[in-house]
Amino acid sequence: MNRPSSPATAGGAVEDNSTRQRILAATAEVLGRSGQAKLSLSDVAQQAGVSRPTLYRWFASKEALLDAFAVYERQMFDTGISRATAGLRGSDRLDGALQFIVDYQHSYSGVRAVDIEPEVVIARLGQVIPVMRAQLERLLTGPSAPVKAATAIRVAVSHYIVRSDDDDGFLDQLRHAVGIRPSR
């Protein structure tokens, strides 16, 4: 059965998109606890504070939810990078992006999914690394920009897989990888 991607209420008005966002944010929380294999739509609905029928109005299946979640994650990251670099120029802009990467990994609830389902995370990283590298490369200049971007992203992935509580050290490593000095 096909479900609408933008459900309507009984009165015909389109339901507030914040419900969809709440469901997707709740998905991050549940994935961080359970992983994809054990993801329960009931748990997501409960975490989001919605009924299962409401969840199903937005996402017809677990697969549809996971597909939408992948897009949501990318949008959250892209929006964060954009906000962190808005109004900045040159190395300050690059430094803002690096600081965002550190903050994102530190605060993101799904970051420990690697402990729960390493094989799923490793497969996902294969898809995400080229996207992140390309995004960071756009902030770099010079002939070594591709190498610097690739190195920085691999440092970030390393910190994702083997978590450290030294955010300052992580940021210093990213800065070193791209060749900038802190603006302290």
Side-chain angles (χ1 to χ4, degrees):
M1 157 178 18
N2 288 338
R3 306 235 185 241
S5 61
S6 200
T9 61
V14 173
E15 228 177 272
D16 185 359
N17 201 33
S18 67
T19 300
R20 183 179 194 279
Q21 296 299 328
R22 261 195 355 258
I23 292 168
L24 291 168
T27 301
E29 296 293 326
V30 175
L31 283 170
R33 288 191 307 262
S34 308
Q36 283 187 22
K38 295 181 182 177
L39 179 72
S40 157
L41 294 181
S42 294
D43 290 346
V44 172
Q46 182 178 9
Q47 180 75 35
V50 300
S51 66
R52 275 190 61 128
T54 296
L55 188 143
Y56 276 109
R57 279 185 285 179
W58 286 99
F59 306 102
S61 66
K62 178 178 171 177
E63 292 74 25
L65 176 60
L66 289 172
D67 289 346
F69 180 72
V71 171
Y72 169 80
E73 259 188 326
R74 171 120 186 254
Q75 289 172 339
M76 295 295 290
F77 188 84
D78 291 348
T79 299
I81 288 281
S82 293
R83 286 182 181 154
T85 59
L88 300 176
R89 299 217 178 269
S91 64
D92 287 340
R93 185 169 186 210
L94 178 58
D95 197 46
L98 299 178
Q99 288 178 26
F100 171 76
I101 290 169
V102 171
D103 293 342
Y104 183 79
Q105 282 195 22
H106 183 79
S107 65
Y108 179 55
S109 64
V111 78
R112 295 317 315 153
V114 71
D115 294 334
I116 299 167
E117 291 179 320
E119 67 284 349
V120 172
V121 170
I122 298 298
R124 180 83 177 115
L125 283 173
Q127 300 164 349
V128 170
I129 288 173
V131 172
M132 291 176 64
R133 184 185 64 234
Q135 188 172 29
L136 188 57
E137 192 174 332
R138 286 192 296 270
L139 299 174
L140 292 161
T141 58
S144 60
V147 172
K148 289 178 179 181
T151 303
I153 294 306
R154 295 212 179 261
V155 167
V157 168
S158 173
H159 275 267
Y160 174 75
I161 292 172
V162 181
R163 183 77 179 229
S164 167
D165 61 355
D166 183 7
D167 289 348
D168 291 335
F170 178 16
L171 182 57
D172 287 343
Q173 291 169 22
L174 290 173
R175 286 173 172 155
H176 181 75
V178 299
I180 63 171
R181 298 196 189 284
S183 56
R184 296 178 205 176

